[in-house]
Amino acid sequence: MTTVAVVYHSGYGHTGAQAQAVARGVAKVEGVTVHLLNAEEAQQQWELLKAADAIVFGSPTYMGSASAQFKAFMDASSKAWYTRDWKDKIAAGFTTSASQSGDKLNTLVQLAVFAAQHGMIWVGQDLLPGNNNSKGSVNDLNRLGSFLGAMAQANADEGADVAPIQSDLLTAEHLGERVATITKKMYG
Ligand SMILES: Cc1cc2nc3c(=O)[nH]c(=O)nc-3n(C[C@H](O)[C@H](O)[C@H](O)COP(=O)(O)O)c2cc1C
């Protein structure tokens, strides 16, 4: 059985909605089991993470980088780093912020460096960028044009019931499906 863990933090639910979309994408692939854990729970689940074939990391972008709560999980993983528990697992990442840019790329870079420190194999987004020509719209997949991971944007005055918009959630779902497909090929 191929297993994919999704570890995320979300202060106000937006990145949580994105994490659920990633998990939905993983679950679309037959024979792949998904474990959705928030960053606090994950710090009690090191054996589960050790047994997973892939871990997808997700954090809101706070002050241009991962949230303190997600960073706490990163730092707590140093024991797994030392014993190389995650070496050769598949990794990927996602982030939500309020601004169109909001410096989200820095958060994804941070997650990719984190995965590299663990000896993991980073999987990026394969979708072409959307909403970058006169016929484009915010409803395009990958409307924020990210290759390193899945980005989503949530208006600061809207709750997680409506933000991020559907195209961002489908973009996250696509990344989850891609991670599961690749992980199954490698480890299934
Ligand atoms: C402490 C803090 C810092 C933030 N910094 C940024 C930022 O650097 N860029 C940005 O676009 N939005 C920023 N925001 C807005 C959040 O990224 C946005 O509200 C996001 O949807 C929150 O995700 P969450 O609901 O998963 O916590 C910040 C919000 C907070 C609370």
Side-chain angles (χ1 to χ4, degrees):
M1 175 62 81
T2 307
T3 59
V4 176
V6 180
V7 179
Y8 72 98
H9 168 251
S10 182
Y12 306 91
H14 300 118
T15 314
Q18 197 186 18
Q20 283 176 14
V22 170
R24 276 197 300 278
V26 172
K28 277 166 94 175
V29 180
E30 207 187 316
V32 181
T33 300
V34 62
H35 299 289
L36 184 61
L37 304 168
N38 68 46
E40 210 176 316
E41 286 167 350
Q43 291 177 60
Q44 312 298 325
Q45 296 284 350
W46 300 114
E47 285 308 311
L48 186 151
L49 294 176
K50 186 177 177 178
D53 301 301
I55 310 176
V56 186
F57 305 111
S59 170
T61 295
Y62 287 174
M63 305 313 292
S65 61
S67 64
Q69 291 88 336
F70 195 83
K71 186 63 167 66
F73 162 74
M74 290 170 68
D75 291 357
S77 78
S78 60
K79 281 188 191 145
W81 170 86
Y82 189 68
T83 46
R84 304 278 79 195
D85 288 357
W86 299 354
K87 185 174 125 50
D88 294 342
K89 292 186 193 306
I90 300 290
F94 58 93
T95 187
T96 300
S97 86
S99 299
Q100 302 294 313
S101 162
D103 296 322
K104 282 189 278 292
L105 179 60
N106 192 55
T107 304
L108 292 181
V109 169
Q110 190 180 4
L111 298 179
V113 169
F114 172 61
Q117 286 222 354
H118 274 284
M120 301 173 85
I121 303 161
W122 187 262
V123 170
Q125 183 66 279
D126 62 324
L127 292 168
L128 286 172
N131 200 22
N132 66 356
N133 62 60
S134 60
K135 296 184 188 65
S137 90
V138 295
N139 298 318
D140 294 345
L141 289 186
N142 200 11
R143 65 158 172 145
L144 296 163
S146 171
F147 291 105
L148 195 57
M151 287 184 181
Q153 178 269 332
N155 290 332
D157 60 349
E158 289 180 345
D161 50 333
V162 289
I165 58 174
Q166 185 69 359
S167 55
D168 287 349
L169 298 179
L170 290 173
T171 300
E173 193 172 313
H174 182 90
L175 182 68
E177 186 174 3
R178 171 170 161 80
V179 166
T181 303
I182 290 170
T183 306
K184 189 176 163 183
K185 257 189 217 163
M186 275 190 68
Y187 294 109

